[in-house]
């Protein structure tokens, strides 16, 4: 098959905050250098440098989802006049509350720990933010390519030489359709992976490049979010609410958020740890219950949800960050674990990581040297940045919750006083989240709980919510959820865990349906076209036999305002 070969100097995989910030910063550094040389500073101009950003969504922002309260520190470094330039901020944070919930009531923390204070931060939609950043990148000459999924790393002599993008126009059986278009080989002197959490290429390279050797296991949560439109005046612009406790069991990490975007829109969601012991842990169902709490219900009265989405969140922190540089490769953003779980924020760290990658690549361009030794300076840059200071200060935060919510709160408080150190050591270990999952019988002696009911007013089932995510996939394409052995689903998994994929997937992709070929048997049915690309299944499956791979470029959710 003839494939187009595209040559770039630098390419970023993923048009999220890390990739776009990296591309903009690199373009700025090159332009400043060339202007200085033109003005007489000794040196050679760099001239035309080809920078590309490759994005699988149908448009930039279509797959972008976050809470989100933005700490503007990194954005101000990237674009000092970001406000004047029209950055699409919904509003500034005005009030900031943290509540501890139980089923029928709540307690508001009288004093907020500094780490949870949001004064000076802004409420944003990540989708809108990255759409705006993409426009700036394009003005600077960066090529932003959408509807293009990077599916395979191109490795040559142990070096990442680029990425192969997925074919389009392939049918379910893998045969070419009349509209078949082969993917391209995108080659670059360096490739920056900013694919989001549990990146496909980063996962594929993990073993061969030893990216996670000596690191803590990365652990994740799943964030499920809706945007609600309510009667004017019912939402409180600039109000930030965070909750702990109900409906999450004490042994399940997570919490809720509601952010007033304007006087008629709330952005709200629940983050649920994927290291929960309950095999019927259901981030979507828990979020629906959370909305029925007496604190939340009145805020949403008379309104309706207008957008839905879900995404995995890397919670492992400093010790779980992978090796960030290898031959031909840098890793930034969520793919690199740049997330402060204690502050519930990652956008500023993603932007900063992209900028630090750009500074490293700029030096490579000046030196005409993209060797792994020079690329490794990115790790050094990260270590000496404020991003590392911030991440180190909460380096044991998530691990502290291994003993449950109350132990975690005590541990977080002590760690805050000790600058991130835990009384049990400077580096608490972690194990992959799926290893915490207990057998169904251990957890639910009487069998699975009854299925949750939804009223269609305040609470919605997964399919109703998927509709709000705008998700679309061409149904006649290979299934993008690879289950290596489906016999496990019908036998061991059904017996031991009760098929948790049916519960943890927030989009009803996995169903156990009667197997017509065998009496009383069930088989796995994968409704791949519902998939909102959250990666939860790739992470939470107890047998680790599910691999999420990108479907045809342009397919997937079409998030708006998330
Ligand atoms: Fe998320 Fe996997 Fe379900 Fe897709 S199939 S929505 S990636 S859990």
């Amino acid at each position: 098959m003839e494939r187009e070969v595209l040559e770039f100097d630098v390419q970023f995989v993923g048009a999220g905050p890390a990739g776009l910030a990296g591309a903009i910063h690199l373009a700025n550094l090159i332009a400043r250098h060339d202007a200085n040389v033109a003005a007489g500073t000794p040196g050679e101009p760099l001239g035309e440098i080809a920078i590309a950003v490759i994005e699988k969504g149908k448009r930039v922002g279509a797959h972008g989802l976050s809470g989100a309260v933005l700490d503007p520190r990194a954005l101000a470094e990237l674009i000092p006049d970001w406000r004047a330039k029209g950055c699409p901020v919904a509003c500034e944070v005005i009030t900031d509350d943290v509540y501890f919930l139980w089923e029928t009531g709540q307690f508001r923390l009288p004093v907020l720990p500094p780490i949870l204070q949001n004064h000076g931060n802004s409420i944003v939609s990540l989708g809108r933010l990255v759409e705006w950043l993409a426009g700036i990148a394009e003005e600077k000459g960066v090529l932003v390519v959408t509807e293009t999924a990077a599916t395979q790393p191109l490795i040559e002599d142990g070096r990442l030489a680029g990425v192969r993008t997925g074919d389009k126009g392939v049918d379910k059986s893998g045969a070419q359709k009349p509209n078949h278009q082969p993917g391209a080989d995108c080659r670059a002197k360096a490739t920056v992976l900013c694919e989001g959490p549990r990146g496909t290429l980063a996962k594929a390279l993990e073993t061969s490049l030893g990216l996670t050797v000596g690191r803590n296991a990365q652990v994740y949560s799943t964030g499920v979010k809706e945007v609600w439109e309510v009667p004017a005046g019912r939402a409180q612009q600039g109000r930030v609410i965070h909750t702990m406790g109900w409906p999450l069991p004490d042994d399940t990490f997570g919490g809720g958020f509601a952010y007033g975007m304007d006087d008629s829109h709330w952005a709200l969601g629940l983050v649920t740890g994927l290291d929960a012991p309950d095999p019927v842990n259901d981030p979507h169902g828990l979020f629906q219950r959370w909305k029925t709490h007496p604190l939340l219900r009145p805020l949403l009265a008379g309104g309706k949800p207008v957008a839905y989405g879900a995404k995995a969140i890397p919670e492992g922190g400093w010790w779980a960050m992978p090796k960030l540089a290898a031959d031909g490769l840098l890793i930034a953003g969520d793919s690199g674990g740049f997330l402060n779980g204690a502050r519930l924020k990652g956008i500023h760290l993603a932007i900063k990581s992209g900028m630090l990658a750009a500074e490293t690549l700029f030096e490579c361009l000046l030196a005409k040297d993209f060797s792994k030794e020079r690329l490794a300076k990115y790790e050094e840059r990260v270590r000496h940045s404020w991003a590392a200071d911030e991440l180190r200060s909460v380096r044991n935060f998530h691990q502290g919750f291994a003993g449950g919510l109350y132990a975690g709160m005590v541990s977080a408080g002590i760690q805050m006083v000790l600058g991130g150190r835990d009384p049990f050591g400077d580096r608490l270990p972690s194990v992959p989240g799926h290893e915490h999952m207990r057998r169904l019988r251990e957890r639910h002696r009487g069998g699975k709980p009854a299925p949750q009911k939804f009223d269609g007013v305040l609470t919605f089932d997964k399919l109703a919510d998927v509709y709000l995510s705008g998700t679309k996939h061409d149904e006649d394409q290979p299934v993008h959820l690879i289950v290596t052995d489906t016999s496990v689903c019908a036998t061991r998994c059904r017996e031991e865990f009760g098929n948790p994929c049916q519960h943890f997937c927030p989009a009803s992709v996995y169903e156990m349906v009667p197997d017509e070929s065998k009496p009383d048997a069930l088989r796995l049915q994968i409704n791949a076209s519902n998939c909102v690309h959250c990666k939860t299944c790739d992470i939470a499956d107890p047998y680790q036999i599910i691999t999420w791979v990108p479907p045809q470029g342009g397919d997937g959710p079409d998030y708006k305002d998330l």
Side-chain angles (χ1 to χ4, degrees), residues 56 91 104 125 143 289 294 316 319 335 341 349 359 416 425 457 461 501 510 515:
K56 69 182 167 66
C91 61
T104 52
S125 142
L143 178 70
R289 288 188 77 197
W319 298 122
S335 300
L349 294 169
E359 287 162 23
M416 217 180 300
V457 178
D461 65 21
C501 58
Y510 299 98
D515 184 345

PDB file of all heavy atoms in Angstrom, residues 56 91 104 125 143 289 294 316 319 335 341 349 359 416 425 457 461 501 510 515:
ATOM      1  N   LYS A  56      -7.021  13.660  16.748  1.00  0.00           N
ATOM      2  CA  LYS A  56      -7.965  12.645  16.252  1.00  0.00           C
ATOM      3  C   LYS A  56      -9.403  13.154  16.184  1.00  0.00           C
ATOM      4  O   LYS A  56     -10.222  12.625  15.436  1.00  0.00           O
ATOM      5  CB  LYS A  56      -7.887  11.377  17.100  1.00  0.00           C
ATOM      6  CG  LYS A  56      -8.406  11.500  18.516  1.00  0.00           C
ATOM      7  CD  LYS A  56      -8.216  10.187  19.261  1.00  0.00           C
ATOM      8  CE  LYS A  56      -8.408  10.275  20.746  1.00  0.00           C
ATOM      9  NZ  LYS A  56      -9.730  10.581  21.240  1.00  0.00           N
ATOM     10  N   CYS A  91     -15.747  32.782  33.410  1.00  0.00           N
ATOM     11  CA  CYS A  91     -15.791  33.822  34.449  1.00  0.00           C
ATOM     12  C   CYS A  91     -14.662  33.587  35.445  1.00  0.00           C
ATOM     13  O   CYS A  91     -13.983  32.566  35.392  1.00  0.00           O
ATOM     14  CB  CYS A  91     -17.134  33.811  35.171  1.00  0.00           C
ATOM     15  SG  CYS A  91     -17.465  32.252  35.994  1.00  0.00           S
ATOM     16  N   THR A 104     -28.103  12.681  53.514  1.00  0.00           N
ATOM     17  CA  THR A 104     -29.197  13.633  53.722  1.00  0.00           C
ATOM     18  C   THR A 104     -28.716  15.027  54.134  1.00  0.00           C
ATOM     19  O   THR A 104     -29.531  15.896  54.414  1.00  0.00           O
ATOM     20  CB  THR A 104     -30.144  13.107  54.828  1.00  0.00           C
ATOM     21  OG1 THR A 104     -29.317  12.783  55.965  1.00  0.00           O
ATOM     22  CG2 THR A 104     -30.895  11.868  54.362  1.00  0.00           C
ATOM     23  N   SER A 125     -14.122  26.324  29.875  1.00  0.00           N
ATOM     24  CA  SER A 125     -14.397  25.070  29.181  1.00  0.00           C
ATOM     25  C   SER A 125     -13.100  24.708  28.467  1.00  0.00           C
ATOM     26  O   SER A 125     -12.571  25.524  27.679  1.00  0.00           O
ATOM     27  CB  SER A 125     -15.523  25.281  28.162  1.00  0.00           C
ATOM     28  OG  SER A 125     -15.275  24.538  26.987  1.00  0.00           O
ATOM     29  N   LEU A 143       0.966  23.762  11.677  1.00  0.00           N
ATOM     30  CA  LEU A 143      -0.035  22.979  10.946  1.00  0.00           C
ATOM     31  C   LEU A 143      -0.835  22.172  11.971  1.00  0.00           C
ATOM     32  O   LEU A 143      -0.279  21.322  12.656  1.00  0.00           O
ATOM     33  CB  LEU A 143       0.669  22.036   9.964  1.00  0.00           C
ATOM     34  CG  LEU A 143      -0.244  21.117   9.166  1.00  0.00           C
ATOM     35  CD1 LEU A 143      -1.053  21.906   8.141  1.00  0.00           C
ATOM     36  CD2 LEU A 143       0.557  20.026   8.472  1.00  0.00           C
ATOM     37  N   ARG A 289     -26.446   9.815  41.098  1.00  0.00           N
ATOM     38  CA  ARG A 289     -26.923   9.858  42.489  1.00  0.00           C
ATOM     39  C   ARG A 289     -26.486  11.156  43.171  1.00  0.00           C
ATOM     40  O   ARG A 289     -27.235  11.759  43.920  1.00  0.00           O
ATOM     41  CB  ARG A 289     -26.357   8.675  43.299  1.00  0.00           C
ATOM     42  CG  ARG A 289     -26.965   7.350  42.922  1.00  0.00           C
ATOM     43  CD  ARG A 289     -26.505   6.270  43.874  1.00  0.00           C
ATOM     44  NE  ARG A 289     -27.195   6.347  45.147  1.00  0.00           N
ATOM     45  CZ  ARG A 289     -26.781   5.752  46.262  1.00  0.00           C
ATOM     46  NH1 ARG A 289     -25.662   5.052  46.255  1.00  0.00           N
ATOM     47  NH2 ARG A 289     -27.452   5.853  47.376  1.00  0.00           N
ATOM     48  N   PRO A 294     -29.407  16.864  48.631  1.00  0.00           N
ATOM     49  CA  PRO A 294     -30.111  18.123  48.934  1.00  0.00           C
ATOM     50  C   PRO A 294     -29.289  19.390  48.653  1.00  0.00           C
ATOM     51  O   PRO A 294     -29.851  20.468  48.461  1.00  0.00           O
ATOM     52  CB  PRO A 294     -30.430  18.018  50.422  1.00  0.00           C
ATOM     53  CG  PRO A 294     -30.170  16.609  50.821  1.00  0.00           C
ATOM     54  CD  PRO A 294     -29.419  15.914  49.736  1.00  0.00           C
ATOM     55  N   GLY A 316      -1.781   9.509  39.818  1.00  0.00           N
ATOM     56  CA  GLY A 316      -0.647   8.933  40.551  1.00  0.00           C
ATOM     57  C   GLY A 316       0.372   9.932  41.049  1.00  0.00           C
ATOM     58  O   GLY A 316       1.134   9.650  41.972  1.00  0.00           O
ATOM     59  N   TRP A 319       5.516  10.496  41.673  1.00  0.00           N
ATOM     60  CA  TRP A 319       6.245   9.222  41.626  1.00  0.00           C
ATOM     61  C   TRP A 319       5.756   8.315  40.499  1.00  0.00           C
ATOM     62  O   TRP A 319       6.416   7.334  40.155  1.00  0.00           O
ATOM     63  CB  TRP A 319       6.127   8.469  42.956  1.00  0.00           C
ATOM     64  CG  TRP A 319       6.708   9.179  44.145  1.00  0.00           C
ATOM     65  CD1 TRP A 319       6.045   9.514  45.285  1.00  0.00           C
ATOM     66  CD2 TRP A 319       8.051   9.640  44.331  1.00  0.00           C
ATOM     67  NE1 TRP A 319       6.885  10.145  46.168  1.00  0.00           N
ATOM     68  CE2 TRP A 319       8.126  10.243  45.611  1.00  0.00           C
ATOM     69  CE3 TRP A 319       9.209   9.613  43.540  1.00  0.00           C
ATOM     70  CZ2 TRP A 319       9.291  10.805  46.107  1.00  0.00           C
ATOM     71  CZ3 TRP A 319      10.377  10.169  44.040  1.00  0.00           C
ATOM     72  CH2 TRP A 319      10.408  10.745  45.306  1.00  0.00           C
ATOM     73  N   SER A 335      -0.562  12.562  29.459  1.00  0.00           N
ATOM     74  CA  SER A 335       0.203  11.358  29.095  1.00  0.00           C
ATOM     75  C   SER A 335       1.432  11.227  29.989  1.00  0.00           C
ATOM     76  O   SER A 335       1.899  10.117  30.255  1.00  0.00           O
ATOM     77  CB  SER A 335       0.678  11.407  27.639  1.00  0.00           C
ATOM     78  OG  SER A 335      -0.397  11.495  26.767  1.00  0.00           O
ATOM     79  N   GLY A 341      -3.490  16.118  41.704  1.00  0.00           N
ATOM     80  CA  GLY A 341      -4.743  15.534  42.186  1.00  0.00           C
ATOM     81  C   GLY A 341      -5.277  16.253  43.409  1.00  0.00           C
ATOM     82  O   GLY A 341      -6.486  16.314  43.620  1.00  0.00           O
ATOM     83  N   LEU A 349      -0.497  22.625  34.404  1.00  0.00           N
ATOM     84  CA  LEU A 349       0.703  21.776  34.351  1.00  0.00           C
ATOM     85  C   LEU A 349       0.906  21.229  32.941  1.00  0.00           C
ATOM     86  O   LEU A 349       2.039  21.085  32.474  1.00  0.00           O
ATOM     87  CB  LEU A 349       0.585  20.635  35.365  1.00  0.00           C
ATOM     88  CG  LEU A 349       0.575  21.080  36.832  1.00  0.00           C
ATOM     89  CD1 LEU A 349       0.199  19.930  37.744  1.00  0.00           C
ATOM     90  CD2 LEU A 349       1.934  21.654  37.237  1.00  0.00           C
ATOM     91  N   GLU A 359      10.976  24.379  24.811  1.00  0.00           N
ATOM     92  CA  GLU A 359      12.296  24.980  25.077  1.00  0.00           C
ATOM     93  C   GLU A 359      13.412  23.973  24.790  1.00  0.00           C
ATOM     94  O   GLU A 359      14.467  24.319  24.260  1.00  0.00           O
ATOM     95  CB  GLU A 359      12.352  25.474  26.529  1.00  0.00           C
ATOM     96  CG  GLU A 359      11.512  26.732  26.712  1.00  0.00           C
ATOM     97  CD  GLU A 359      11.151  27.034  28.167  1.00  0.00           C
ATOM     98  OE1 GLU A 359      11.861  26.569  29.071  1.00  0.00           O
ATOM     99  OE2 GLU A 359      10.143  27.740  28.371  1.00  0.00           O
ATOM    100  N   MET A 416       0.630  18.030  53.978  1.00  0.00           N
ATOM    101  CA  MET A 416       0.679  19.466  53.680  1.00  0.00           C
ATOM    102  C   MET A 416       1.673  20.162  54.609  1.00  0.00           C
ATOM    103  O   MET A 416       2.458  20.997  54.200  1.00  0.00           O
ATOM    104  CB  MET A 416      -0.719  20.051  53.856  1.00  0.00           C
ATOM    105  CG  MET A 416      -1.056  21.124  52.842  1.00  0.00           C
ATOM    106  SD  MET A 416      -2.699  21.757  53.102  1.00  0.00           S
ATOM    107  CE  MET A 416      -3.691  20.323  52.905  1.00  0.00           C
ATOM    108  N   GLY A 425       6.799   7.558  55.004  1.00  0.00           N
ATOM    109  CA  GLY A 425       7.912   7.540  54.045  1.00  0.00           C
ATOM    110  C   GLY A 425       7.793   8.646  53.022  1.00  0.00           C
ATOM    111  O   GLY A 425       6.741   9.275  52.879  1.00  0.00           O
ATOM    112  N   VAL A 457     -35.318  13.403  34.615  1.00  0.00           N
ATOM    113  CA  VAL A 457     -35.478  14.832  34.912  1.00  0.00           C
ATOM    114  C   VAL A 457     -34.164  15.362  35.514  1.00  0.00           C
ATOM    115  O   VAL A 457     -33.565  16.314  35.024  1.00  0.00           O
ATOM    116  CB  VAL A 457     -36.651  15.057  35.898  1.00  0.00           C
ATOM    117  CG1 VAL A 457     -36.775  16.543  36.249  1.00  0.00           C
ATOM    118  CG2 VAL A 457     -37.946  14.536  35.291  1.00  0.00           C
ATOM    119  N   ASP A 461     -29.967   7.931  32.176  1.00  0.00           N
ATOM    120  CA  ASP A 461     -29.199   6.711  31.944  1.00  0.00           C
ATOM    121  C   ASP A 461     -28.041   7.008  30.985  1.00  0.00           C
ATOM    122  O   ASP A 461     -27.929   8.113  30.432  1.00  0.00           O
ATOM    123  CB  ASP A 461     -30.100   5.566  31.462  1.00  0.00           C
ATOM    124  CG  ASP A 461     -30.724   5.836  30.099  1.00  0.00           C
ATOM    125  OD1 ASP A 461     -30.194   6.675  29.340  1.00  0.00           O
ATOM    126  OD2 ASP A 461     -31.751   5.209  29.789  1.00  0.00           O
ATOM    127  N   CYS A 501     -17.041  -4.375  33.423  1.00  0.00           N
ATOM    128  CA  CYS A 501     -17.032  -3.442  32.284  1.00  0.00           C
ATOM    129  C   CYS A 501     -18.418  -2.859  32.044  1.00  0.00           C
ATOM    130  O   CYS A 501     -18.559  -1.726  31.583  1.00  0.00           O
ATOM    131  CB  CYS A 501     -16.516  -4.119  31.016  1.00  0.00           C
ATOM    132  SG  CYS A 501     -17.475  -5.574  30.539  1.00  0.00           S
ATOM    133  N   TYR A 510     -20.260  -1.843  26.851  1.00  0.00           N
ATOM    134  CA  TYR A 510     -20.147  -3.288  27.104  1.00  0.00           C
ATOM    135  C   TYR A 510     -21.458  -3.834  27.647  1.00  0.00           C
ATOM    136  O   TYR A 510     -22.002  -3.303  28.620  1.00  0.00           O
ATOM    137  CB  TYR A 510     -19.018  -3.557  28.115  1.00  0.00           C
ATOM    138  CG  TYR A 510     -17.676  -3.091  27.608  1.00  0.00           C
ATOM    139  CD1 TYR A 510     -17.152  -1.863  27.995  1.00  0.00           C
ATOM    140  CD2 TYR A 510     -16.955  -3.865  26.705  1.00  0.00           C
ATOM    141  CE1 TYR A 510     -15.925  -1.425  27.513  1.00  0.00           C
ATOM    142  CE2 TYR A 510     -15.735  -3.433  26.211  1.00  0.00           C
ATOM    143  CZ  TYR A 510     -15.224  -2.216  26.622  1.00  0.00           C
ATOM    144  OH  TYR A 510     -14.021  -1.787  26.134  1.00  0.00           O
ATOM    145  N   ASP A 515     -26.196 -15.729  24.931  1.00  0.00           N
ATOM    146  CA  ASP A 515     -25.438 -16.365  23.847  1.00  0.00           C
ATOM    147  C   ASP A 515     -26.347 -17.425  23.214  1.00  0.00           C
ATOM    148  O   ASP A 515     -26.611 -18.466  23.840  1.00  0.00           O
ATOM    149  CB  ASP A 515     -24.172 -16.997  24.443  1.00  0.00           C
ATOM    150  CG  ASP A 515     -23.282 -17.602  23.374  1.00  0.00           C
ATOM    151  OD1 ASP A 515     -23.775 -17.783  22.236  1.00  0.00           O
ATOM    152  OD2 ASP A 515     -22.110 -17.893  23.679  1.00  0.00           O
TER     153      ASP A 515
END
